[in-house]
Amino acid sequence: MFDPLDRLIAQALQANARAPFSTVAEVMGVSDQTVARRYARMRAAVACKVIGLVDPYADGGVPWLVRLRCSPGAAAPLGEALARRADTAWIRITSGGTEIVCEAKARAGDATLLQQLPRTPRIEQISAHCLLHMYFGGATSPLAKIGELTPEQLRRLCQVAPPVRPARVTDADAPLLAALARDGRTELNVLAKQTGWSAAGVRRRIAELVAGGVLYFDIEFDARLFPMFAVQTLLWLSVEPAALDTAGEMLSADPQVAFVAATTGTTNLHATVSCPDMHATYRYLTERVARLPGIKGLETAPILRQIKRDRKSVV
């Protein structure tokens, strides 16, 4: 259904999410209409979408990974209920459909979700892991590891922008951030109507929030577009403290790894691994993870279903 040009366009937008289609077309050596048509088709098929995200650590945010072991049949309805909360960023069902893993954001000293979950029926076990340090993830994407774009193409896509004054997020930014979370390529004139600002003001504010490390853009994609990422598995590793940083850095360099972070809890290193199939996952675990320094234990949890995928963080 999708071909190498579709994949190159997705990678180009990962490099510069709001680049004009004319710029992408020039870099790809095709017409503007071809790029616009290809992206529209991928977006309509829910295979590729640009989204704007708020850094989970912005303004004192504290991101948590929460694992919920549920009674049989409870994971799906509970996951749907969690998806409606503003303080959850993504939600996945794992481990044969009996476990939910979600990212939640709290502010320092406030853990409302974690306080409410123990009172929720049909939850059998809860563990929460604070993200202490992110080795790979957030504004960095596994698409950057594929290497199908040449250095020259990346240079042309990522022209150095003039310096702007960095800014922190404010309540006035909420409409803008909400619109970009729905569609990171929303046109400036549309954003201007939704925010009440001028198009020039919207452009300037986006640049300020990006410069301040508050806002970044990501690509949501699925296995139809990138089959090498078809099977996703969560890893929970126990690593000797002296080897934790080395193991985290080594994992972050692997093309199969979409996310890796040091955490609190009984396991102290968490990663998301993407492979073409289960056989490739097995080889990665036995040939790569087994060679990491300081590994004392490993738990794996294949992702069966994504309930909330936009990973929008709370402002």
Side-chain angles (χ1 to χ4, degrees):
M1 181 178 181
F2 301 107
D3 62 22
L5 179 58
D6 294 316
R7 291 190 287 273
L8 285 173
I9 290 171
Q11 292 174 72
L13 293 176
Q14 179 66 62
N16 186 350
R18 292 187 60 83
F21 285 143
S22 58
T23 300
V24 177
E26 182 183 351
V27 171
M28 299 291 106
V30 297
S31 70
D32 302 11
Q33 293 82 1
T34 295
V35 173
R37 184 177 65 253
R38 293 289 188 110
Y39 178 70
R41 181 169 64 93
M42 290 187 288
R43 196 181 186 291
V46 200
C48 177
K49 177 184 177 183
V50 176
I51 52 174
L53 299 169
V54 175
D55 186 275
Y57 295 97
D59 285 352
V62 181
W64 292 79
L65 293 177
V66 182
R67 302 181 69 182
L68 307 173
R69 294 284 176 86
C70 308
S71 58
L78 179 56
E80 296 289 352
L82 288 171
R84 292 190 289 271
R85 294 184 61 107
D87 54 357
T88 58
W90 51 254
I91 298 170
R92 296 160 172 171
I93 295 181
T94 70
S95 303
T98 61
E99 181 177 82
I100 295 171
V101 180
C102 71
E103 180 185 322
K105 180 179 175 182
R107 296 194 181 275
D110 176 24
T112 303
L113 175 62
L114 301 180
Q115 294 166 354
Q116 292 175 347
L117 284 173
R119 300 192 296 270
T120 304
R122 305 184 72 181
I123 293 179
E124 298 179 347
Q125 183 179 351
I126 301 173
S127 62
H129 308 254
C130 182
L131 296 183
L132 298 174
H133 176 74
M134 191 182 301
Y135 296 99
F136 190 86
T140 53
S141 167
L143 295 187
K145 299 178 181 180
I146 297 176
E148 294 180 1
L149 292 174
T150 67
E152 174 61 17
Q153 287 175 317
L154 288 171
R155 185 193 66 77
R156 292 164 63 189
L157 284 165
C158 303
Q159 297 283 338
V160 177
V164 297
R165 179 183 52 130
R168 298 181 64 181
V169 68
T170 69
D171 291 342
D173 295 312
L176 173 64
L177 295 173
L180 292 174
R182 292 189 295 269
D183 182 356
R185 287 190 61 84
T186 302
E187 295 181 358
L188 289 175
N189 61 337
V190 176
L191 292 172
K193 291 179 180 178
Q194 294 177 345
T195 59
W197 303 339
S198 67
V202 169
R203 181 189 293 110
R204 182 173 59 252
R205 189 56 179 165
I206 290 174
E208 290 171 347
L209 292 173
V210 170
V214 174
L215 172 68
Y216 66 94
F217 292 92
D218 198 8
I219 298 288
E220 285 189 344
F221 60 87
D222 68 15
R224 291 170 294 169
L225 191 58
F226 293 97
M228 67 284 285
F229 300 135
V231 174
Q232 290 190 312
T233 303
L234 302 183
L235 308 185
W236 306 88
L237 300 100
S238 297
V239 184
E240 294 176 359
L244 179 60
D245 197 56
T246 300
E249 293 290 354
M250 290 175 67
L251 278 177
S252 69
D254 290 347
Q256 297 91 338
V257 173
F259 178 86
V260 58
T263 73
T264 60
T266 55
T267 58
N268 56 356
L269 190 64
H270 171 71
T272 303
V273 173
S274 302
C275 294
D277 52 43
M278 282 298 183
H279 295 294
T281 303
Y282 172 78
R283 289 194 301 272
Y284 181 78
L285 294 175
T286 57
E287 297 174 8
R288 174 55 169 161
V289 176
R291 295 200 305 268
L292 292 173
I295 300 297
K296 299 187 294 182
L298 169 66
E299 183 181 353
T300 59
I303 297 173
L304 301 183
R305 178 186 170 195
Q306 301 260 14
I307 292 181
K308 188 174 185 177
R309 298 185 58 186
D310 64 8
R311 298 188 295 120
K312 177 180 178 293
S313 294
V314 180
V315 179

